[in-house]
Short mmCIF file of all heavy atoms in Angstrom, two decimals:
data_model
loop_
_atom_site.label_atom_id
_atom_site.label_comp_id
_atom_site.label_asym_id
_atom_site.label_seq_id
_atom_site.Cartn_x
_atom_site.Cartn_y
_atom_site.Cartn_z
N GLY W 596 66.36 8.37 62.28
CA GLY W 596 66.67 9.58 62.96
C GLY W 596 65.44 10.57 62.91
O GLY W 596 64.39 9.98 62.75
N TYR W 597 65.69 11.83 63.15
CA TYR W 597 64.55 12.72 63.14
C TYR W 597 64.07 13.06 61.73
O TYR W 597 64.70 13.21 60.85
CB TYR W 597 64.98 14.01 63.92
CG TYR W 597 64.68 13.93 65.43
CD1 TYR W 597 65.80 13.49 66.12
CD2 TYR W 597 63.54 14.00 65.99
CE1 TYR W 597 65.77 13.34 67.55
CE2 TYR W 597 63.42 13.85 67.41
CZ TYR W 597 64.53 13.44 68.08
OH TYR W 597 64.38 13.20 69.47
N PHE W 598 62.68 13.14 61.69
CA PHE W 598 61.97 13.24 60.41
C PHE W 598 60.73 14.19 60.62
O PHE W 598 60.32 14.40 61.82
CB PHE W 598 61.57 11.85 60.05
CG PHE W 598 61.56 11.49 58.56
CD1 PHE W 598 62.71 11.33 57.80
CD2 PHE W 598 60.23 11.43 57.97
CE1 PHE W 598 62.56 11.17 56.41
CE2 PHE W 598 60.16 11.29 56.62
CZ PHE W 598 61.32 11.10 55.78
N PHE W 599 60.08 14.69 59.61
CA PHE W 599 58.84 15.33 59.69
C PHE W 599 57.96 14.82 60.70
O PHE W 599 57.60 13.64 60.74
CB PHE W 599 58.09 15.35 58.42
CG PHE W 599 58.92 15.82 57.25
CD1 PHE W 599 59.45 14.81 56.37
CD2 PHE W 599 59.16 17.16 56.91
CE1 PHE W 599 60.29 15.17 55.35
CE2 PHE W 599 59.84 17.52 55.82
CZ PHE W 599 60.44 16.43 55.02
N ASN W 600 57.48 15.60 61.71
CA ASN W 600 56.40 15.17 62.59
C ASN W 600 55.21 14.91 61.84
O ASN W 600 54.68 15.81 61.26
CB ASN W 600 56.28 16.25 63.72
CG ASN W 600 55.20 15.93 64.75
OD1 ASN W 600 54.58 14.85 64.52
ND2 ASN W 600 55.11 16.63 65.63
N PRO W 601 54.55 13.74 61.96
CA PRO W 601 53.40 13.56 61.15
C PRO W 601 52.06 14.29 61.69
O PRO W 601 51.14 14.30 61.09
CB PRO W 601 53.11 12.01 61.25
CG PRO W 601 53.98 11.54 62.42
CD PRO W 601 55.21 12.52 62.54
N GLN W 602 52.31 14.94 62.87
CA GLN W 602 51.22 15.85 63.30
C GLN W 602 51.46 17.22 63.21
O GLN W 602 50.63 17.99 63.48
CB GLN W 602 51.03 15.52 64.96
CG GLN W 602 51.10 14.01 65.40
CD GLN W 602 49.87 13.43 64.85
OE1 GLN W 602 48.76 14.05 64.83
NE2 GLN W 602 49.99 12.21 64.52
N ASP W 603 52.63 17.63 62.59
CA ASP W 603 52.92 19.16 62.63
C ASP W 603 52.64 19.78 61.26
O ASP W 603 52.98 19.30 60.34
CB ASP W 603 54.44 19.23 63.03
CG ASP W 603 54.93 20.72 62.96
OD1 ASP W 603 54.48 21.42 63.96
OD2 ASP W 603 55.72 20.95 62.13
N ASN W 604 51.90 20.88 61.34
CA ASN W 604 51.78 21.81 60.25
C ASN W 604 51.44 21.05 58.94
O ASN W 604 52.05 21.06 57.98
CB ASN W 604 53.03 22.52 59.84
CG ASN W 604 53.30 23.67 60.84
OD1 ASN W 604 52.48 23.87 61.76
ND2 ASN W 604 54.45 24.45 60.67
N LEU W 605 50.28 20.19 58.84
CA LEU W 605 50.02 19.48 57.88
C LEU W 605 49.62 20.12 56.57
O LEU W 605 49.70 19.58 55.47
CB LEU W 605 48.80 18.43 58.29
CG LEU W 605 49.20 17.40 59.43
CD1 LEU W 605 47.92 16.64 59.74
CD2 LEU W 605 50.40 16.69 59.07
N ASP W 606 49.24 21.35 56.74
CA ASP W 606 48.93 22.22 55.57
C ASP W 606 50.16 22.81 54.92
O ASP W 606 50.06 23.54 53.93
CB ASP W 606 47.99 23.33 55.99
CG ASP W 606 46.58 22.91 56.28
OD1 ASP W 606 46.22 21.87 55.64
OD2 ASP W 606 45.92 23.45 57.15
N GLY W 607 51.30 22.68 55.62
CA GLY W 607 52.51 23.30 55.23
C GLY W 607 53.21 22.61 54.04
O GLY W 607 52.85 21.51 53.62
N PHE W 608 54.30 23.27 53.51
CA PHE W 608 55.26 22.61 52.62
C PHE W 608 56.33 22.00 53.31
O PHE W 608 56.76 22.45 54.39
CB PHE W 608 55.55 23.55 51.55
CG PHE W 608 56.37 24.80 51.98
CD1 PHE W 608 57.63 24.83 52.14
CD2 PHE W 608 55.58 25.93 52.25
CE1 PHE W 608 58.30 25.96 52.62
CE2 PHE W 608 56.21 27.10 52.71
CZ PHE W 608 57.58 27.19 52.88
#
Side-chain angles (χ1 to χ4, degrees):
Chain W
Y597 278 93
F598 210 75
F599 309 97
N600 177 356
Q602 309 296 325
D603 178 65
N604 282 0
L605 297 183
D606 289 327
F608 56 87

